[in-house]
Each structure stands twice: as C-alpha cells, then as structure tokens.
Amino acid sequence: MEPKPCESDEEPMTGADENYDPRAIQDKWQARWEELNPFAASEDPADERPRKYALDMFPYPSGDLHMGHAEAFAIGDVVARYWFQRGYNVMHPIGWDSFGLPAENAAIKRDSHPAEWTYANIDTQADSFQRYATSFDWSRRLHTSDPDYYRWNQWLFLRFYERGLAYRKGGNVNWCPNDQTVLANEQVVAGHCERCGAPVEKRVLTQWYFKITEYADRLLADMAELEWPERVLLMQRNWIGRSEGADVAFQIEGRAEPVTVYTTRPDTLYGATFFVVAADAALADEICAPEQRAEFEAYRQAVQRESEVERLAADREKTGVFLGRYAINPVNGERMPVWASDYVLAEYGHGAIMAVPAHDQRDLDFARRFGLPVRVVVRTGDADPAESGVATAGEGELVNSGPLNGLSKSAAIPRITEVLEEKGLGKAAVNYRLRDWLISRQRFWGTPIPIIHCEACGEVPVPDDQLPVRLPDDLRGADLAPRGVSPLAAAAGWVNVDCPKCGAAAKRDTDTMDTFVDSSWYFLRYCSPGYTDGPFDVEQVRRWMPADQYTGGVEHAILHLLYSRFFTKVLYDMGMVDFTEPFTRLVNQGQVILNGSAMSKSTGNLVDLGEQIAEYGVDAVRLTMMFAGPPEDDIDWADLSPSGAVKFLARAHRVAAEVTSAPGADVATGDTELRKVTHRTIDEVTRLVEAHRYNVAIARMMELTSATRKTIDTGAGAGDPAVREAAETLAVMLSLVTPYTAEEMWERLGHDVPVAKAGWPAAEPALLVQESVTCVVQVAGKIRDRLEVSPDIAEDDLERLAVASEKVQVAMGGRGVRKIIVRAPKIVNIVPA
RNA sequence: GGGGCCGUAGUCCAAUCGGCAGGAGACGCGUGACCUAGGAUCACGACAGUGUGGGUUCGAAUCCCACCGGCCCCA
C-alpha cells in the first residue's frame, strides 16, 4: 500500500506507545498474510468440512472506500472470520459492480474511456480492502464490466427472452432528464431519480422489460423461509402490493366494450357516484366527447408536463375535466359522469376507477373540488364525509346498497363479488402494485442488449456463439454525452450488422441493461469465477449456495434484493439451481452518519476513512464500528471514540506481552477465578457473535481483559497459566474484529501464525458452574434481602430461608402471608395479607 | 391518510421467558497514585431510574391502551 502523501512516519499514531504501534504491526502482518493466504475457500470435493458462504454486497468503484464500506465490510468480515475459526470451509469473495453512470460521466468530463476511471478506482479499493484486513478469497475476484462477465448477462437475457420473460413494449415510462435515460419504477423514489435526485418525467417510449410480475406471488410466498429483518420483508411486501378485490365491468354509453375497473372495495359499489379515467390513458382520449375535446386536450398536455413529484404531492388540489360521457353502474343502473384526472394512474389497475367519495379520501377530495355527489353506503359511526371532508374507511353496516343493506363491510365484500359473478358483471380479482422491471437504458457503460433488429425478421437474438456483444472501444469523452438515445447509436461500425437469420442489413439494439441485471446473479458467479461454459458451474453452485449470510445496506431492500430473488426463481425454473431463495440470512447495517446527518461530500459533513485509519489504525476503526451499537443501528461517528478503541487494544496487547509462562503450560493448575471468567466469556461471546450482538461481545472481551490485568497486578501474577489462557482466548476472539492486534498478540504468546487458523476456544462446562448465586427476596415487590444460595436449591428450601430472614420479618411487620412466589434460585416474592 | 420501528445517566449503549437498573461495556468529566512527566498507566468517584399518563401482574424498561417525540415504508 502506498502511503498517503500527508502521512508522516515521524508522527506517532494516536494512542500508540513503544509496545503497541498499530502502524508497524499493520505493515508487518499485511505482507505476511499475503504469503500465508489463509482465506482461500477449498474446492476439494474430498474436503469434508461443512461449508459456509459469507457474502458482502459488492461495492461500486466510485473512488476509494468510505466510512459506510468500513462498517459493512467489518460486519461481514467478523462473520467470515468467526466461521473460519469454527473450522468451516468458508467462501468469502469480493468483486465490483463496475458498470454504471458515474464512470461514464467521469469519462465525459476527462475525455477518456469509462474503463480507465473504473479500473483505476477498483485498484484503489482493492488495495484499501487489503489494508483493511478483509478476509477475502481474492482468487474469486470479479468485475461486472469485464466481457467475461457481461457475456453471461447477455446469455441470461436470451434465456429470459426465450421464456417470454424479456419483452419489449411501448408505454409511459419514467425518464430522468438529468441522466437522459429511462428508469425502473424501483429507481423512482418519491418522484425523484434514485441516483441523481432530479424530478422524474414521463415519456412514451418502447423499452425492454423483465416480467417480474409473473413471479409476484412466489416472491411473496417464499419470504416465509427467509431469516431477514422484518422491515425489509415488510418493504418488499408493500412494494409488491398484493391486494384482493374485484374486477367490475362498467358500460360506457356509446361504447360497445365495457370498461373493467379494479376495486378493493366492491362492497361500496352502490356508493359510486362518478367514474375517473387516467388522463394519460388511451381510454380517455378515445371516449372524450367532441364538445369536451378542447378542454381535455389542454388538460392532458398540462398533465404530461408535470413531474411525478408534483403529481404525488399529498396536499395538492385535485384537478380534472369532465369527458362529456357517462358510465353505467352495473348494480343499480345509475348514470355516472366520466371524468379524466391525473390522480388515477394509467399504469395501475386498468387505468380507470369507480369513485366512491364517501369511503375513499382521494375520491372525496375530487368530489368536493368539483361538486360531485357523496353517498354514504357504510355506516361507520364517524362524521358524514360530505360534511367533515374525511372519508370513512372502517368497518360498519351497509346502507343505501339494495341487497347488501344490513351486512357488515367484511360480509358484503364476498356477497357482492358473488352477485357480480352470477350476473357476469365482474369477478374476484387480485391486483399487484409491482410493475414489470424496465431494464433498458440509453447509456453507454453497461451490457449491450444482445438483440438485432431486422426489417424483415423483426427482433433477432444474437446467437449464443457470437456472445459477448462487446462494447465498442472507440467511443470516449464527448461521444458519450447523453442525448436521449444511447451513445451506441452513433457507433455506425458497431450498430450495422447482418441479420443472423436472413443476412440482410440490420441494426443492433443500442440500449444497455440496467446495472441491477449485473448484480442479480454475481453471487452465483463467485462459486466458479472463471467458468466458460455458462454463467456458473451448476455443481459448484449446488455446493455453496444459498449464501448463509448476506451483509449490506438497507437501501437495497427493494431494488437489488427483489431482483436477485426474481433471478433465482427464474434460474430454478430453468433447472440451473436447486434452491429458490439466494440469501438465507440478511444483515442490514445502519449508516455511518456525522453529527446527526448523513455524510456528504457536497455539504462537507464528512469523515475520511483513510484519515481515520492513518490516525488510529485499521483495528481501532474496525473496533469502533463494531462496538458502537447493534449492527442495524445508524452510528454517529461524532458519538464514538476511536482513541478509546486504541487504548483498549493497547491494554489487551500489553496483557499478552506480559505473559511469562511457556506455550502449552498446564492451565488446569492456573488461577480458578480467572479461568472461570475466561470460560464464561467464551460461552457468552460465542452466543453473542452467533446472534450478531457484536457490541456486547466486545464488552465481554473488555471485561476479560480487565480481569486478566487484575490477576497480573494483584493476583496470581503474570506467570500463572490462567493468565496465558485468558490472553490466548482474547487473541482468538479479537482476531474477528481486530486482526492485526490479535496476530501480534498471538505471535508474542509464542504461537504459529496466523491466529485466523487458531480455532475457536471451547468453554469447559465445569468452569461455568457457579457455586452460589444471589437470590433476591422481595416483600410486596420491594427488595428486602439478598441470600447467597446454591444454584440448584429446592423451591421449598429457598422459601423457608426467605421467610426466616430477619429483614423480611421486619418488612412484614407481623402481617400474615397471603402468597409466596418462588422462582429458584433467583427470586422470592412474599405478598403480605 | 394507512402500516411499521424506536425513546434507559451529559453521550453511545447493556439488561434470555416479565424477575436485583447498587446500569454490563465504553466516551466524556472529576479525584488520587505512579512515573518514562504523557494525548501514558493504574485505582477510585459523581451524575440516572427507563418519554408521559393509565392498565394487566406477586412483580413491568420488557406485555396492553392512549398521548408526546424521532425514524422508515406505502399512499
């Protein structure tokens, strides 16, 4: 690792002393570990050790690693190192998600090729990972922008295409005016581009989609088997947005075909007083009456100009135009005016709704704005919506609803659905919020879509043996500037090809794939990174997958994690994998923030990882991250004390350095009190690490360090074998979090390195047994006495002891006993009469 | 508007099932010892009573209800 120019060897690191110099041991061990290569996963089929797959969300190479990476990769590394110590055959790979817009923007600015920026950053990050002591198997390293990788993106696209899961269609799409490309629904956050924050616009374009909606039910159902944070599952559930309701057919006067409307509240059908069509839906244009045409056109143009943000704003006044037409309510024959509005979305449901203003807030807002009637059909006991302006959505008794009158809401829903089905006017229906995944992008630095457009043959897949369709390498700098169509369109020599089917002149598809395609299966590629006969070796994947733990940020809760689940299910259906979920256990670490808000370059609210490491050392930074709190919580760097971490490490290191007994000394002869602390620590830390309670595990290691210190100074002394045992235990446990310091301790204790292979200590059950425990005696819930008792004392013995206590007698003040609760050996509660 | 998560010392955080908050651990602060005189080390100490109000219970930080405050998802 090259030292940063600002670093000076003269300046001692914070907290360093002559015995513990973090920088010196970093340099020493980094070089040694490269020789030892302790973390290569074994592919030997004869290797009987059970396997574990520790997976980290791979980074995007935007400059050097930052504080967020430091936290996420510290967590993943602790897990992997724990499994190594437990003797598993561990795979802990790393790679780079190296296609994407920032590289392209950098190339435009510097008049270079995106690859230059990308691969330079990857090298920087790889060096930083080495220094950060991550336990990766470097032989599995991959980059999604390598042709050897994206070739298989194209191959998978073609398999999806064959199965009808990749298709092209025209329609309204999300358009980022800044990045000059379309976006998937998942990439629009509150109306803004997820990447650059620009307000998203709508455009009508023909684009490529993956049919993720076909998997909606399975994506929902299979969540049951996942050990994921509840909130992530909830987010995915919300995103998929399954709802049960009914499709109802409405006749429109003067139109032959009825229009189908989806509703989750068919019970309110008698309360429908008007009908709304999405202003940008084809239906609105079609049915608009001639006398309303001019008004409608003006409105539609206004709607098309507005951004998603404006459209979604909650407090915004409703807008719309009457279309001059009427729909017929199928249950009561009422004529309902048909309006066009932007609060109904063309892409959802069928692009039209029945409006029930009494029981839907948006419908009510619209009705009040345009003076449309409000009819209550569910009596909920709340105020009249027409008066209060608040729609009522709760349970209640049906009124004004013909045959439904008197039924409850929940009874009315199946009843009306039945009626509709009998009359052929509708049927029960399930609707999803989830849309198909729009995967084409009008940008350069991504995987070319392997399709050729031929005038005669139409869409023609590029034959497998012609993959990869490589990106042209002669485009650079200004050639890549966004212009609304893919820069690839300008590469004539690349675009113009012969049709693989008929040989006539044809053109390549010029769009590239969403980079989320790349990341939807990279974890499979790690299992056989050099494989050339397919995206992955099916046999290897069977051995390693699914990943036992996946560590990364919650920002991927619906994007990457949903797409990867979808890919896995498709591959399962293709018979390429034998599991349906890719990640068994998921850990979402919180963010590293500063002074209460997110770190950001633009506001200068930033802590530089390299500087922190230069000041405190890798181990102290890792320890600070892991000790700060539960991994899923945000951690505020301003609240933390990396110098405190250095101090503790120096303390632990000193304890190991002071040990004077020889390796292999007979611990059985050692100080029993310290041995008990050591073994209790082993027992607790093991449990805590398994449960991801790293901050508490570290607190226990600190206690053991203090206990050892005390034994050396005022107890059995540095030569006692129990001190050696404690120091060795500390070194191994610390090796998960602070590998450099642990290695140095291990060496000083006279052992063969690396400590990573020392093996996890086992607690001796005999040393976990306590001779006596404190029993609390309460009178009426107040603590009156404490008794030292045997841990296996019988309940009636304990009760006798408690009642006999003098302090208890005083507290009872002569009152009789009403009740005694005994929970041996911890507590006795005496309730006086 | 609907749904979810969370409120413990000045700060970050602990507390299997409801069972000792003499708060596990740490930061910061203070006092003392020691010395290599430091941004070192060791020892000791102070500050709190679980956001508020009810309820259930022998017993509530933990369970239930309402409210206040903060965060997240969907609209």
Side-chain angles (χ1 to χ4, degrees):
Chain A
M1 174 101 12
E2 296 165 47
K4 292 231 166 114
C6 59
E7 281 179 32
S8 153
D9 285 270
E10 311 307 315
E11 201 150 322
M13 234 176 223
T14 306
D17 59 35
E18 82 245 37
N19 291 314
Y20 177 70
D21 179 353
R23 184 156 39 208
I25 63 176
Q26 265 169 232
D27 293 345
K28 171 181 166 187
W29 291 114
Q30 200 182 312
R32 284 283 277 130
W33 289 340
E34 261 172 70
E35 293 163 35
L36 293 166
N37 187 29
F39 302 117
S42 162
E43 284 191 1
D44 180 0
D47 193 325
E48 300 268 285
R49 293 176 298 162
R51 292 168 188 246
K52 287 281 188 186
Y53 186 173
L55 180 66
D56 301 302
M57 288 185 189
F58 65 168
Y60 178 76
S62 57
D64 202 350
L65 300 182
H66 51 66
M67 295 298 280
H69 290 121
E71 195 200 3
F73 286 97
I75 295 167
D77 201 52
V78 168
V79 171
R81 284 175 179 272
Y82 175 68
W83 285 336
F84 277 113
Q85 293 287 17
R86 294 305 301 244
Y88 290 102
N89 182 7
V90 181
M91 177 165 75
H92 186 206
I94 186 65
W96 276 269
D97 187 14
S98 51
F99 267 142
L101 261 182
E104 212 167 316
N105 294 335
I108 294 164
K109 210 156 126 191
R110 301 164 183 213
D111 190 29
S112 64
H113 192 275
E116 293 174 25
W117 182 88
T118 302
Y119 288 93
N121 283 341
I122 289 176
D123 286 344
T124 303
Q125 293 194 348
D127 282 351
S128 294
F129 273 132
Q130 298 269 17
R131 180 173 58 163
Y132 200 58
T134 44
S135 60
F136 294 136
D137 178 348
W138 286 94
S139 69
R140 292 170 190 273
R141 173 171 174 173
L142 61 80
H143 316 123
T144 58
S145 55
D146 289 352
D148 285 350
Y149 185 89
Y150 70 70
R151 167 186 185 178
W152 301 111
N153 268 350
Q154 294 169 338
W155 187 92
L156 287 164
F157 175 95
L158 294 172
R159 301 294 87 76
F160 278 42
Y161 185 76
E162 287 161 7
R163 302 177 75 84
L165 295 172
Y167 68 96
R168 228 157 66 109
K169 75 164 183 201
N172 261 313
V173 296
N174 302 302
W175 177 264
C176 174
N178 182 45
D179 292 340
Q180 294 273 301
T181 182
V182 297
L183 299 170
N185 259 17
E186 289 79 4
Q187 287 164 318
V188 181
V189 178
H192 293 266
C193 171
E194 173 245 358
R195 196 190 328 266
C196 72
V200 168
E201 296 170 357
K202 286 285 181 190
R203 284 202 177 180
V204 177
L205 290 170
T206 297
Q207 297 289 316
W208 285 99
Y209 292 83
F210 279 166
K211 213 182 236 171
I212 191 171
T213 53
E214 199 166 303
Y215 286 75
D217 261 328
R218 286 165 66 185
L219 287 166
L220 274 177
D222 292 349
M223 279 184 213
E225 63 189 72
L226 298 176
E227 294 171 46
W228 286 20
E230 203 45 55
R231 62 175 177 150
V232 174
L233 296 176
L234 186 71
M235 276 193 232
Q236 292 212 352
R237 226 172 266 133
N238 283 341
W239 186 260
I240 294 167
R242 183 182 200 271
S243 67
E244 289 183 15
D247 276 339
V248 186
F250 284 75
Q251 292 293 339
I252 309 276
E253 286 180 359
R255 188 178 197 266
E257 281 294 304
V259 172
T260 302
V261 153
Y262 174 79
T263 175
T264 55
R265 292 293 305 276
D267 56 308
T268 62
L269 199 42
Y270 286 86
T273 55
F274 58 102
F275 194 90
V276 188
V277 180
D280 49 351
L283 180 66
D285 185 47
E286 179 208 316
I287 65 175
C288 181
E291 66 275 15
Q292 292 299 108
R293 177 57 62 178
E295 204 185 329
F296 168 67
E297 288 295 349
Y299 180 66
R300 184 165 63 165
Q301 278 169 27
V303 167
Q304 231 128 32
R305 270 196 307 273
E306 72 199 7
S307 70
E308 277 291 280
V309 199
E310 293 166 336
R311 197 162 165 166
L312 289 171
D315 50 354
R316 177 165 172 261
E317 193 159 326
K318 292 278 182 290
T319 59
V321 292
F322 178 49
L323 289 177
R325 300 284 287 268
Y326 291 87
I328 307 301
N329 189 329
V331 288
N332 58 13
E334 275 184 17
R335 291 177 85 221
M336 308 186 300
V338 179
W339 288 67
S341 176
D342 62 356
Y343 84 93
V344 174
L345 301 176
E347 306 298 310
Y348 289 82
H350 305 283
I353 60 147
M354 65 172 203
V356 185
H359 308 296
D360 181 283
Q361 190 60 47
R362 284 164 306 169
D363 294 347
L364 181 60
D365 293 343
F366 194 87
R368 284 161 67 90
R369 169 79 171 78
F370 293 105
L372 295 158
V374 178
R375 185 192 305 142
V376 172
V377 291
V378 183
R379 195 181 284 142
T380 61
D382 299 315
D384 179 6
E387 305 287 317
S388 67
V390 179
T392 60
E395 260 298 347
E397 183 195 343
L398 276 277
V399 293
N400 299 324
S401 294
L404 302 179
N405 283 341
L407 292 175
S408 69
K409 168 188 164 184
S410 47
I413 293 175
R415 179 76 198 105
I416 186 69
T417 307
E418 227 173 85
V419 170
L420 289 168
E421 278 178 12
E422 275 164 24
K423 297 189 175 163
L425 296 169
K427 59 177 194 312
V430 171
N431 194 44
Y432 297 94
R433 212 186 142 275
L434 184 69
R435 301 290 97 190
D436 276 342
W437 173 14
L438 200 175
I439 60 142
S440 41
R441 296 290 179 276
Q442 290 68 53
R443 296 299 301 248
F444 171 78
W445 192 232
T447 305
I449 289 174
I451 292 287
I452 291 166
H453 299 282
C454 168
E455 286 212 7
C457 312
E459 290 167 5
V460 181
V462 173
D464 282 359
D465 60 10
Q466 291 175 28
L467 299 180
V469 177
R470 284 171 168 268
L471 286 168
D473 43 24
D474 53 348
L475 294 182
R476 49 189 293 124
D479 301 336
L480 306 176
R483 47 179 67 88
V485 292
S486 169
L488 289 173
W494 184 88
V495 170
N496 296 307
V497 288
D498 294 339
C499 171
K501 227 179 202 171
C502 70
K507 285 183 188 300
R508 289 194 188 281
D509 197 295
T510 58
D511 284 351
T512 53
M513 294 182 206
D514 182 1
T515 58
F516 279 104
V517 174
D518 315 358
S519 53
S520 292
W521 65 280
Y522 75 105
F523 42 88
L524 297 164
R525 183 75 181 166
Y526 279 143
C527 301
S528 51
Y531 198 61
T532 53
D533 297 335
F536 51 85
D537 179 345
V538 169
E539 210 36 58
Q540 290 295 343
V541 163
R542 189 160 301 159
R543 293 202 186 116
W544 289 109
M545 287 287 296
D548 296 282
Q549 172 158 322
Y550 197 18
T551 309
V554 74
E555 66 272 17
H556 293 108
I558 31 192
L559 288 152
H560 163 58
L561 289 169
L562 191 65
Y563 296 150
S564 297
R565 296 182 60 219
F566 162 61
F567 257 62
T568 302
K569 290 173 198 310
V570 174
L571 289 165
Y572 176 84
D573 291 350
M574 289 167 65
M576 290 185 69
V577 302
D578 60 355
F579 48 88
T580 57
E581 287 291 338
F583 319 122
T584 305
R585 193 161 75 160
L586 177 72
V587 170
N588 285 133
Q589 86 283 357
Q591 283 194 295
V592 186
I593 62 174
L594 185 60
N595 293 312
S597 47
M599 291 199 195
S600 121
K601 232 175 244 173
S602 56
T603 61
N605 191 50
L606 202 66
V607 173
D608 182 79
L609 175 61
E611 284 170 19
Q612 295 296 305
I613 289 175
E615 187 163 4
Y616 304 105
V618 166
D619 280 352
V621 170
R622 289 175 56 128
L623 179 64
T624 303
M625 295 276 179
M626 300 304 292
F627 185 52
E632 61 275 11
D633 286 6
D634 285 352
I635 59 183
D636 193 326
W637 199 250
D639 292 334
L640 306 176
S641 173
S643 63
V646 178
K647 252 196 298 203
F648 165 66
L649 291 172
R651 233 163 102 83
H653 179 266
R654 206 174 318 119
V655 160
E658 286 174 25
V659 168
T660 55
S661 59
D666 182 11
V667 291
T669 65
D671 179 69
T672 311
E673 282 315 302
L674 181 58
R675 293 206 69 208
K676 281 187 166 181
V677 177
T678 300
H679 285 263
R680 204 163 53 235
T681 304
I682 294 169
D683 183 58
E684 286 187 35
V685 168
T686 304
R687 266 199 281 259
L688 290 163
V689 169
E690 299 261 359
H692 309 295
R693 314 275 314 282
Y694 310 112
N695 55 326
V696 189
I698 291 164
R700 295 292 167 270
M701 296 181 208
M702 289 173 170
E703 286 179 83
L704 177 58
T705 307
S706 295
T708 313
R709 174 84 262 146
K710 207 166 231 164
T711 305
I712 293 174
D713 291 345
T714 61
D720 192 282
V723 170
R724 161 166 289 278
E725 184 185 36
E728 289 177 352
T729 300
L730 263 176
V732 175
M733 293 196 301
L734 279 173
S735 78
L736 310 187
V737 184
T738 59
Y740 291 112
T741 307
E743 195 72 278
E744 187 69 15
M745 289 166 70
W746 196 240
E747 192 196 36
R748 292 227 183 179
L749 286 163
H751 289 290
D752 288 341
V753 295
V755 65
K757 293 199 161 176
W760 193 250
E764 284 179 30
L767 290 164
L768 298 177
V769 175
Q770 287 176 291
E771 275 124 50
S772 73
V773 295
T774 307
C775 176
V776 172
V777 185
Q778 300 178 330
V779 175
K782 285 201 173 111
I783 298 164
R784 298 299 182 181
D785 201 4
R786 290 169 222 276
L787 306 170
E788 286 300 312
V789 299
S790 153
D792 42 12
I793 189 169
E795 298 222 326
D796 45 349
D797 289 343
L798 183 59
E799 180 176 331
R800 243 188 320 275
L801 276 176
V803 172
S805 153
E806 218 170 283
K807 289 175 185 163
V808 168
Q809 289 305 325
V810 171
M812 291 296 289
R815 289 171 292 178
V817 172
R818 184 155 72 95
K819 193 174 180 183
I820 301 187
I821 288 97
V822 183
R823 294 283 177 273
K826 290 171 79 175
I827 200 159
V828 177
N829 190 8
I830 304 170
V831 188

